[in-house]
Amino acid sequence: MSDSNAVRGTREDKADKPRTGPATFYRQVVAELRKVVYPTQEQLVTYFLVVLVFVLFMMALVSLLDLGFGQLAFEVFAGGGDQ
């Protein structure tokens, strides 16, 4: 058994607690969304460009590795036919 403090109580203990209703859930969601700090347009453009450059770099890297390993596989398994 784990000695973690993260899990407290048993399933029976949790079953005794009343569930929150849809209205309370909705109010809690709205309250949490009010805490969100949305990025400015300048930050959003910067984040977009960083992600775009990273994705393009990764696409190029994977494409080059695929091309290189494909050529290597043809060289190894095709045998060249020089025998």
Side-chain angles (χ1 to χ4, degrees), residues 25-63:
F25 175 75
Y26 178 74
R27 280 195 301 271
Q28 290 174 348
V29 168
V30 170
E32 289 298 320
L33 285 175
R34 286 193 178 132
K35 296 177 187 178
V36 174
V37 178
Y38 293 98
T40 64
Q41 184 173 3
E42 182 180 334
Q43 289 172 327
L44 197 61
V45 169
T46 302
Y47 299 157
F48 171 77
L49 291 175
V50 167
V51 170
L52 184 66
V53 168
F54 176 76
V55 168
L56 290 174
F57 172 77
M58 291 306 292
M59 285 173 53
L61 178 67
V62 169
S63 296

